[in-house]
Amino acid sequence: VTAMLAALVRRGTQRVAGLSVPLSRGISRDTFVWPAQKRSLDVTKGHIKQLRKQGLIPGVLYGGGSGKDPQCKRLPVAVDLQCVKRHCDSDISFYNRIISLDIEGEKHRCIVRDLTRNYTEQTFLNIALLRCNPGHPIKVLVPLTYENEDTCPGIKRGGILNKMLR
């Protein structure tokens, strides 16, 4: 039964943490292009609220520093809300997609590290982006989607799909 299930299972719905994935493999090569703009570090709560009213999400682009820690440099940005909404709920691999962040004409390749939401008001509060530097591996969560579970002959006969993640 396990051999039958292994042949039919392609991907699963669980997340595996702590995988070190080179940029050349494991992350989708389809990129989203999001317009963004730089913002200053010395902002007040009123300035952040004004950004959200303009249809922007405040965030930070991490990475690209020099020296021992290549992830040390940070750049405060404001990302277009409609681009984030369009992609975040429609795609299971949202957190693994490479995004081309267009900051005032300058392109930055990055992935979404964290997206903070207010679920009661259905709004986005903050976004954290991680710059993808060639030659530096990054850790991502990999979504697994199991397909054809309901049509699998082994499960129809009473078998159980063992989802071991090691």
Side-chain angles (χ1 to χ4, degrees), residues 2-161:
T2 307
M4 284 180 164
L5 291 176
L8 293 175
V9 173
R10 296 183 186 156
R11 307 181 259 167
T13 56
Q14 299 176 4
R15 292 187 167 212
V16 181
L19 296 178
S20 182
V21 180
L23 290 178
S24 60
R25 303 177 309 203
I27 298 176
S28 174
R29 294 179 188 258
D30 301 332
T31 59
F32 300 140
V33 178
W34 290 357
Q37 55 187 321
K38 290 181 184 177
R39 62 181 182 88
S40 63
L41 276 175
D42 54 342
V43 295
T44 61
K45 188 173 14 173
H47 179 71
I48 297 295
K49 285 183 180 180
Q50 185 180 18
L51 280 176
R52 290 189 184 117
K53 285 182 182 177
Q54 293 173 359
L56 299 170
I57 302 173
V60 179
L61 176 63
Y62 294 101
S66 60
K68 292 182 181 178
D69 185 12
Q71 307 301 328
C72 65
K73 186 178 175 185
R74 64 187 177 119
L75 175 67
V77 295
V79 182
D80 185 35
L81 173 67
Q82 294 305 318
C83 291
V84 176
K85 274 186 178 180
R86 185 177 330 124
H87 296 116
C88 78
D89 292 329
S90 65
D91 193 3
I92 191 169
S93 63
F94 174 71
Y95 289 94
N96 295 338
R97 291 282 172 126
I98 294 178
I99 298 161
S100 179
L101 199 64
D102 186 7
I103 302 174
E104 299 169 355
E106 189 179 342
K107 302 274 186 184
H108 297 271
R109 292 181 64 209
C110 58
I111 62 169
V112 176
R113 177 55 93 196
D114 186 38
L115 181 62
T116 309
R117 302 180 195 203
N118 183 342
Y119 287 100
T120 57
E121 297 178 8
Q122 299 296 317
T123 57
F124 295 102
L125 300 177
N126 191 13
I127 190 165
L129 302 161
L130 181 64
R131 189 177 281 125
C132 297
N133 294 324
H136 293 284
I138 57 176
K139 291 185 178 185
V140 298
L141 299 174
V142 179
L144 302 173
T145 307
Y146 294 96
E147 296 177 354
N148 302 324
E149 273 186 77
D150 53 342
T151 60
C152 177
I155 292 179
K156 282 185 177 179
R157 292 185 204 142
I160 298 172
L161 177 61

